[in-house]
Amino acid sequence: MMADDYAALIRRLGLGPVRVVGISMGGAIAQELAFRHPALVRSLVLACTWARCDEYTKRVFQHFARVRAAAPAIDFVQLLQLWIWSPAYTNAHAGDVRRAQEEALTKVAMPQAAFEAQCQACIGHDTSAALFRIEVPVLLTAGDRDIFTPLAFSEELHRGLPRAELKVFPGTGHVHHWEALEEWNACTTEWLQRS
């Protein structure tokens, strides 16, 4: 449904084929977009995403949904922050991470039912058997310290996608695109211009 919504927006704006960047769940949606609406996609950048969840990651999503329902908002935000930032980045940028937690609390939160539906969509996403059908160029980026979507997920995508390149950002976590912001921007910009 989210990929179809994305396709409708691209068509409404009179765009396509477009270069698509999807981060985490956005990367799962981008894969579905490329499957369901291949004529709309020129190339893909998929950051810290997956073709399918393993049992461990399914349990993480299920736990997130339960904790979000039961815990105070500050505790849930801190839990997420601990999962997405690498220890090295957290230690070196403790003030920035703390500010990010505080800012997250000021944003309007989605309803619990919507968050649970998002978690279920992530769990149910599985493109592993059909990755070969995505024929556009793909850049995969990952942090080698990502405990949420481990490097093995990007490696699986790399093996299955016919025209994929993999760029690993050493020492970074799930939000490697933020921890190594300048390098990630330079890498993806150069790749998008080439593709």
Side-chain angles (χ1 to χ4, degrees):
M1 181 173 40
M2 289 180 269
D4 290 345
D5 288 347
Y6 197 168
L9 177 63
I10 293 168
R11 288 188 179 105
R12 176 70 187 228
L13 294 173
L15 303 173
V18 297
R19 296 174 176 96
V20 178
V21 178
I23 297 173
S24 195
M25 182 182 183
I29 296 167
Q31 292 170 60
E32 295 290 346
L33 175 69
F35 281 133
R36 296 175 61 79
H37 308 277
L40 296 180
V41 179
R42 179 174 175 179
S43 61
L44 295 168
V45 175
L46 304 176
C48 55
T49 193
W50 62 96
R52 62 179 164 188
C53 287
D54 58 10
E55 187 59 30
Y56 173 82
T57 307
K58 289 176 184 176
R59 288 175 167 229
V60 168
F61 279 118
Q62 291 164 349
H63 184 69
F64 280 173
R66 285 195 308 273
V67 171
R68 188 177 188 272
I74 185 67
D75 290 332
F76 181 71
V77 168
Q78 185 175 17
L79 171 69
L80 284 180
Q81 297 286 350
L82 291 169
W83 275 87
I84 64 174
W85 300 100
S86 69
Y89 188 87
T90 300
N91 288 332
H93 302 91
D96 293 338
V97 171
R98 196 172 304 108
R99 277 188 294 283
Q101 290 172 1
E102 292 165 1
E103 287 174 17
L105 292 171
T106 65
K107 297 186 169 126
V108 177
M110 74 173 70
Q112 179 66 20
F115 183 77
E116 290 176 9
Q118 246 187 16
C119 289
Q120 284 305 312
C122 290
I123 290 169
H125 170 74
D126 186 350
T127 56
S128 58
L131 289 171
F132 67 92
R133 290 179 27 218
I134 298 179
E135 297 178 354
V136 297
V138 180
L139 174 63
L140 301 161
T141 69
D144 68 352
R145 298 290 185 263
D146 188 345
I147 61 170
F148 185 37
T149 54
L151 179 57
F153 288 3
S154 292
E155 291 170 340
E156 178 182 23
L157 285 163
H158 188 229
R159 286 189 302 273
L161 292 162
R163 298 178 63 193
E165 297 175 38
L166 174 59
K167 168 69 174 163
V168 179
F169 291 79
T172 63
H174 187 63
V175 289
H176 64 278
H177 52 282
W178 188 260
E179 292 183 31
L181 180 64
E182 290 183 18
E183 184 184 357
W184 191 84
N185 282 343
C187 169
T188 54
T189 299
E190 187 275 331
W191 187 87
L192 285 166
Q193 288 171 341
R194 265 195 297 122
S195 70

